[in-house]
Amino acid sequence: QSALTQPPSASGSPGQSVTISCTGTSSDVGAYNYVSWYQQHPGKAPKLIIYKVNERPSGVPDRFSGSKSGNTASLTVSGLQAEDEADYYCSSFVGGNNVDYVFGTGTKVTVL
Amino acid sequence: QVQLQESGPGLVKPSGTLSLTCAVSPGSISNGHWWTWIRQSPGKGLEWIGEIFHSGSTNYNPSLKSRVTILVDKSENQFSLKMTSMTAADTAVYYCARNWNWGFDYWGQGTLVIVSS
């Protein structure tokens, strides 16, 4: 199972929005609404910020939103804040004969 | 607030076996979740290794399946990872995590495993 494709980097000024894409296939992203997104600061464990494409866990600001169209999922961070500078990873459930999960290649978000 | 804590040796010899344990607290490991191992190689992304249910049912990454065993110890409220035939390519930070709604909501702090002689 190949990693989902994300852009290596994205950036925006404080207050602006940034959108990160996550492209998979009809066997993963396109097949299930089980895409999740993670924020990872240096030296820390990833933190779940979106699950099931567009749902936010309790405590995650509504500045974070997710969507999906076909084989591509997207994460939008609105109203960028300095603390949003981090690496972001998507993940998708992969069903079929074997339960599997695949992660994205990761995107470094820089707040200018 | 669930806490997960990985433990195990940080150095494994090439061709050796990695053994890690993840302690879950508070609450029971038998509360209906799947418990997961994920790793992150230096400078690379995340890789799902596999998961276990309290019944002992497991799912493994097909690319690692031949080398991986995940077990659960309900009496100790923990689960473990064994990975054989380790090579330098297996050097990574290993995380345990809880599967919730097909995402991973609670993570351990991660433990760095280096494969070197």
Side-chain angles (χ1 to χ4, degrees):
Chain A
Q1 187 68 32
S2 299
L4 307 176
T5 301
Q6 298 180 232
S9 62
S11 63
S13 299
Q16 290 186 331
S17 295
V18 65
T19 296
I20 303 165
S21 61
C22 168
T23 301
T25 69
S26 57
S27 297
D28 39 62
V29 174
Y32 308 96
N33 288 325
Y34 297 145
V35 175
S36 53
W37 288 90
Y38 303 85
Q39 177 192 64
Q40 186 179 34
H41 288 109
K44 299 293 188 181
K47 173 188 175 183
L48 178 68
I49 55 174
I50 295 287
Y51 67 98
K52 290 200 288 186
V53 175
N54 57 13
E55 300 195 36
R56 282 187 311 278
S58 174
V60 173
D62 59 7
R63 303 186 294 104
F64 295 91
S65 62
S67 63
K68 190 187 88 165
S69 178
N71 297 338
T72 298
S74 298
L75 172 73
T76 297
V77 186
S78 306
L80 269 175
Q81 299 182 4
E83 59 262 34
D84 298 332
E85 184 162 298
D87 292 325
Y88 291 81
Y89 294 91
C90 60
S91 175
S92 176
F93 172 78
V94 184
N97 292 332
N98 300 294
V99 169
D100 193 2
Y101 288 83
V102 61
F103 284 92
T105 50
T107 299
K108 169 68 177 178
V109 169
T110 301
V111 181
L112 301 170
Chain B
Q1 183 83 354
V2 177
Q3 293 191 14
L4 292 89
Q5 178 72 52
E6 305 93 348
S7 60
L11 182 64
V12 178
K13 289 188 181 343
S15 77
T17 297
L18 168 67
S19 294
L20 296 176
T21 298
C22 180
V24 179
S25 65
S28 172
I29 202 168
S30 302
N31 63 4
H33 295 282
W34 287 81
W35 303 93
T36 304
W37 288 99
I38 293 164
R39 69 180 182 179
Q40 185 170 32
S41 304
K44 289 181 68 176
L46 297 156
E47 182 177 31
W48 182 80
I49 298 171
E51 62 182 6
I52 191 163
F53 198 63
H54 64 82
S55 63
S57 295
T58 53
N59 295 303
Y60 296 123
N61 184 322
S63 67
L64 299 171
K65 187 173 184 175
S66 64
R67 300 195 292 130
V68 170
T69 302
I70 298 176
L71 299 173
V72 65
D73 184 341
K74 290 184 282 187
S75 67
E76 295 290 336
N77 219 46
Q78 63 187 27
F79 61 107
S80 63
L81 169 70
K82 274 189 168 46
M83 185 178 293
T84 61
S85 304
M86 295 285 283
T87 71
D90 295 311
T91 292
V93 175
Y94 285 74
Y95 294 99
C96 57
R98 187 180 80 168
N99 188 326
W100 177 75
N101 281 300
W102 295 272
F104 309 105
D105 62 340
Y106 287 103
W107 296 64
Q109 85 280 5
T111 186
L112 175 62
V113 175
I114 297 172
V115 181
S116 175
S117 54

